[in-house]
Amino acid sequence: MSFTMNQISLLADRQTAGGPLDRVPARHGKSLAWMRCLLRASGLGLLLSLGCVTAQAFDGTKTPADDPSPMQAFRNGTKAYKAGDLAGASQALEFAASKGHALAQWKLARMYSEGDGVPRDDKRAFDYYQAIVDAHGEDSPDTAQARFVSSAIVALGSYYVSGIPNEVKPNPRHATELFQYAATYFGDSDAQYNLGRIYLDGNAVQKRDAITAGRWLRLAADKGHRQAQAVLGHLLLSGNDMPRQGARGLMYLTLARDGANGERDQWIIDLYDDAFAKATPDEREMCLTYLAQFLKDHS
């Protein structure tokens, strides 16, 4: 069985040193300062819509003197969530989030996007993610909370890819800008993978560009992103869009297969099985050499 990139896209949606992939992708003339302005502009008025006050620090610093501790409410909410008291958890987290507690906003956004203990509400999840980005989108990528901020930016981008019926119009170009900001400023592997897919599919960009896609995918793959490893491995093995590197492609697919998780990653398992069956003995042997070096370099 062989797979085209369109087939891989459908499968995935159901849920080389010295080579052209080693160069970090260019920013296409858009500075990080410009992207920060874009982030600010995209969220005007959102804090008011959520009833939030001045941004709450991630460390739980209290706001007005009469504030009964958003941080304590957040702790109560997480404790209730772990205990299975989802109603109590959402109530406590909603209070903390209304006071600008960003971790509470992030947790609620995840709960609403997945329907976890609350009715699924993508618009409410979108608004919470936007509130985090409005308050913390320019935080240093070296801070402890950076991964939550970049996660919120990527989530917003994902919503803009397809939109929210009757609430948020699809805007693939804006989604690409958000992914690029998270990918470059925060080094977010999910954003890098999404950019790779966008350039492979030719969505929201002037034309399909497999080489640029491969560069973004490699950045994510080298951080352990299994979906990026699978797609990049297939690209290198097929040789349709870039010079074929069979052993290295098999290496990335082997890494992806090792991290595959349940039914949602069945497409990765299928790609690996197909690649291993078609690989030559020499490619399989060289793959082991590449794997040993990769694990040494990334341990």
Side-chain angles (χ1 to χ4, degrees), residues 20-268:
L21 301 185
D22 292 315
R23 298 187 294 275
V24 174
R27 294 176 184 171
H28 307 285
K30 294 185 177 179
S31 68
L32 290 175
W34 180 88
M35 292 184 188
R36 293 188 190 109
C37 291
L38 180 149
L39 289 176
R40 288 195 293 269
S42 68
L44 291 177
L46 196 54
L47 293 179
L48 291 177
S49 72
L50 287 172
C52 297
V53 296
T54 304
Q56 173 81 14
F58 274 83
D59 63 2
T61 304
K62 293 176 67 175
T63 45
D66 59 351
D67 189 339
S69 183
M71 185 59 181
Q72 186 58 51
F74 171 72
R75 289 172 176 165
N76 292 341
T78 55
K79 183 177 180 180
Y81 182 87
K82 291 177 181 178
D85 179 10
L86 300 182
S90 62
Q91 182 178 5
L93 291 171
E94 292 279 7
F95 172 79
S98 72
K99 301 301 182 182
H101 192 288
L103 285 182
Q105 293 168 344
W106 184 85
K107 181 60 180 175
L108 281 168
R110 293 291 299 271
M111 291 171 69
Y112 278 112
S113 67
E114 298 170 4
D116 180 14
V118 292
R120 179 168 177 171
D121 188 333
D122 285 314
K123 180 56 167 62
R124 194 156 179 81
F126 176 95
D127 287 346
Y128 276 125
Y129 284 131
Q130 185 69 69
I132 295 169
V133 175
D134 288 345
H136 301 283
E138 297 181 40
D139 286 4
S140 168
D142 297 324
T143 58
Q145 69 266 21
R147 66 190 181 99
F148 296 102
V149 179
S150 64
S151 172
I153 296 172
V154 173
L156 282 181
S158 298
Y159 275 123
Y160 276 115
V161 168
S162 55
I164 301 174
N166 302 317
E167 296 287 355
V168 177
K169 293 182 179 180
N171 191 339
R173 186 170 298 278
H174 186 45
T176 302
E177 292 166 339
L178 290 169
F179 292 147
Q180 191 162 341
Y181 181 76
T184 52
Y185 185 64
F186 289 101
D188 188 284
S189 61
D190 285 330
Q192 291 163 349
Y193 169 69
N194 287 337
L195 280 175
R197 290 292 302 275
I198 283 172
Y199 278 98
L200 271 182
D201 299 337
N203 294 336
V205 292
Q206 291 182 344
K207 62 179 181 178
R208 185 174 182 274
D209 185 345
I211 296 298
T212 298
R215 293 171 186 164
W216 284 118
L217 289 170
R218 180 163 183 173
L219 287 174
D222 286 351
K223 294 173 182 173
H225 195 289
R226 65 185 183 279
Q227 294 94 334
Q229 290 169 340
V231 175
L232 177 61
H234 179 79
L235 283 173
L236 292 171
L237 269 165
S238 68
N240 293 330
D241 296 292
M242 59 185 63
R244 187 177 186 280
Q245 299 182 54
R248 196 170 295 278
L250 185 59
M251 177 203 76
Y252 278 114
L253 276 166
T254 302
L255 291 167
R257 174 63 180 87
D258 186 61
N261 183 21
E263 273 187 36
R264 66 181 304 172
D265 285 340
Q266 184 60 45
W267 66 278
I268 294 177

Side-chain angles (χ1 to χ4, degrees), residues 236-237 244-251 275-276 278-290:
L236 292 171
L237 269 165
R244 187 177 186 280
Q245 299 182 54
R248 196 170 295 278
L250 185 59
M251 177 203 76
F276 187 82
K278 292 180 177 178
T280 66
D282 286 345
E283 286 175 333
R284 294 178 187 177
E285 183 177 353
M286 184 58 68
C287 169
L288 294 176
T289 301
Y290 285 149

